[in-house]
Amino acid sequence: KQWYQRRVRGVLHALRSNGIVVRFDKSDYLMHHKFVVIDSRIVLTGSYNFSRGGMGINRENIVKVHHQHIVKAYLEEFNEMWQLYSTSKFSFNFRKEVVYEGSG
């Protein structure tokens, strides 16, 4: 466990030293989202774990989404979490459901 904590501290130091803001969910619950929003235009999502195992050991999947309706929903979720974690508050939020039917 100590080696893991040292590694995490090293990664956090590297990120912060390069001007990247890092926030934490300090609740007792797990945040299990697995998505990346790139330039407010692209979403990567799926079962893929951004870890050593996810990169070569596990059978993972990742989907690249360009549709703006869906990207917007993910961006809104990210922004909500960003605000939530900055204040160290936590609440359950099961109200969101994004359904998209159509082409393009």
Side-chain angles (χ1 to χ4, degrees), residues 1-50:
K1 185 175 180 178
Q2 288 179 349
W3 69 267
Y4 178 77
Q5 291 173 347
R6 282 193 306 274
R7 180 163 173 88
V8 168
R9 277 194 294 272
V11 169
L12 291 174
H13 176 73
L15 290 170
R16 289 177 171 153
S17 295
N18 286 287
I20 298 171
V21 178
V22 178
R23 296 184 181 186
F24 292 94
D25 173 7
K26 295 180 181 178
S27 76
D28 294 331
Y29 305 96
L30 289 176
M31 190 281 295
H32 198 67
H33 288 2
K34 299 177 187 179
F35 68 86
V36 175
V37 179
I38 303 169
D39 297 332
S40 300
R41 296 181 305 117
I42 298 169
V43 168
L44 303 178
T45 188
S47 70
Y48 185 80
N49 286 299
F50 294 87

Side-chain angles (χ1 to χ4, degrees), residues 48-69:
Y48 185 80
N49 286 299
F50 294 87
S51 65
R52 191 173 292 165
M55 287 188 266
I57 298 169
N58 302 338
R59 295 182 69 139
E60 307 276 1
N61 70 68
I62 193 161
V63 177
K64 184 176 180 181
V65 179
H66 293 271
H67 194 281
Q68 281 309 114
H69 177 78

Side-chain angles (χ1 to χ4, degrees), residues 51-89:
S51 65
R52 191 173 292 165
M55 287 188 266
I57 298 169
N58 302 338
R59 295 182 69 139
E60 307 276 1
N61 70 68
I62 193 161
V63 177
K64 184 176 180 181
V65 179
H66 293 271
H67 194 281
Q68 281 309 114
H69 177 78
I70 296 170
V71 171
K72 182 180 179 227
Y74 276 93
L75 188 58
E76 288 172 357
E77 178 66 14
F78 173 82
N79 288 330
E80 185 176 312
M81 287 189 305
W82 188 255
Q83 292 304 313
L84 179 71
Y85 296 155
S86 70
T87 60
S88 300
K89 294 178 185 174

Side-chain angles (χ1 to χ4, degrees), residues 93-104:
N93 183 356
F94 295 113
R95 64 176 160 59
K96 291 187 179 180
E97 179 179 326
V98 177
V99 177
Y100 175 72
E101 296 178 14
S103 61

